[in-house]
Amino acid sequence: MTGKTLARYERQTIFHGIGEEGQRKLLAARVVVVGCGATGTNIANHLARTGVGHLTVVDRDFIELNNLQRQLLFDEHDLAENLPKAVAAERKLRAINSEIEVTGIVTDVNAENIEALIAGATLVMDGTDNFETRYIVNDACVKHNIPWIYTGAVSSYGMSQTIVPGETACLRCMFNDIPPAGSTATCDTAGVVGPLVSVVAGISASEAIKLIVEQGERNEGIIHADVWYNTYEQFANNGPRPDCPACGQ
């Protein structure tokens, strides 16, 4: 690393859990953020500033006015230009850290393109807002042995789950089938407290750093936090289920 690079990440490299060796791993990492809304923009922001060397953000949507309350990479200028989220995110992340490679992809993530989107990734981050896409990500990551981190935020509560194929339970192990449409709360129906997103995305981004640098105490279950009622809980799991359609079968 050059002196300039060391200076940028100085407060990070002097932390004993990361150091210069960990920073080199971060700079070499390839992370794909699927979904660039509330949690996705927060996660991508953290990882760009952390120095993840190759960062890809994928989203099909365009910026709307109500996004600005919690989607931290966007502003009124992006809205006025009617930009796709992935395009605006790429531009903002490049401005945050010009030393890393950032790619914004405007597309709908589906079963046909997910494997190409995550090919070569060190890690995949969930920034989506629906379980259908999460299950597609889960199955592809399990198939290709790529760790991924589930992140969800709605109302005043959120969850984070770190999934390492072959070691931890996957999303299907924990939740089995996709919840029926309309059976779970969404930001459209229950709203969302803006700072909650930063809390949960910060937990997931920290998990990403620990996975990449191979240090720290990893979350092996589900972390659930509620910023309105001041609750913080951690639920354990028993590893991959033999009867799980993704892991076991």
Side-chain angles (χ1 to χ4, degrees), residues 223-246:
I223 292 174
H224 181 284
D226 192 312
V227 298
W228 205 252
Y229 298 100
N230 287 326
T231 61
Y232 184 93
E233 302 168 285
Q234 191 165 13
F235 303 97
N237 68 60
N238 297 317
R241 274 181 25 222
D243 61 340
C244 171

Side-chain angles (χ1 to χ4, degrees), residues 1-2 4-6 8-9 12 23-33 41 43-57 73 89-104 212:
M1 290 184 289
T2 66
K4 181 181 177 182
T5 301
L6 284 172
R8 176 186 285 268
Y9 306 114
Q12 199 161 268
Q23 190 61 55
R24 288 189 179 92
K25 291 179 180 178
L26 287 165
L27 290 165
R30 296 180 175 274
V31 177
V32 178
V33 182
T41 55
I43 289 168
N45 177 50
H46 282 303
L47 297 185
R49 294 179 188 276
T50 296
V52 168
H54 309 271
L55 193 58
T56 300
V57 292
L73 288 181
E90 177 184 328
R91 185 168 70 178
K92 204 65 59 73
L93 293 168
R94 287 179 181 273
I96 288 169
N97 191 344
S98 62
E99 296 183 353
I100 65 172
E101 178 184 305
V102 182
T103 304
I212 292 168

Side-chain angles (χ1 to χ4, degrees), residues 134-180:
R134 289 182 179 121
Y135 276 71
I136 290 171
V137 171
N138 179 80
D139 294 350
C141 285
V142 169
K143 177 180 179 180
H144 293 283
N145 199 34
I146 301 172
W148 76 283
I149 299 174
Y150 156 60
T151 310
V154 65
S155 185
S156 63
Y157 61 89
M159 294 183 288
S160 175
Q161 180 186 1
T162 300
I163 298 167
V164 180
E167 294 183 28
T168 69
C170 77
L171 194 66
R172 287 190 187 274
C173 292
M174 299 296 287
F175 298 107
N176 204 11
D177 296 320
I178 299 174

Side-chain angles (χ1 to χ4, degrees), residues 109-121:
V109 176
N110 54 53
E112 283 69 42
N113 64 12
I114 183 61
E115 293 181 84
L117 290 171
I118 67 172

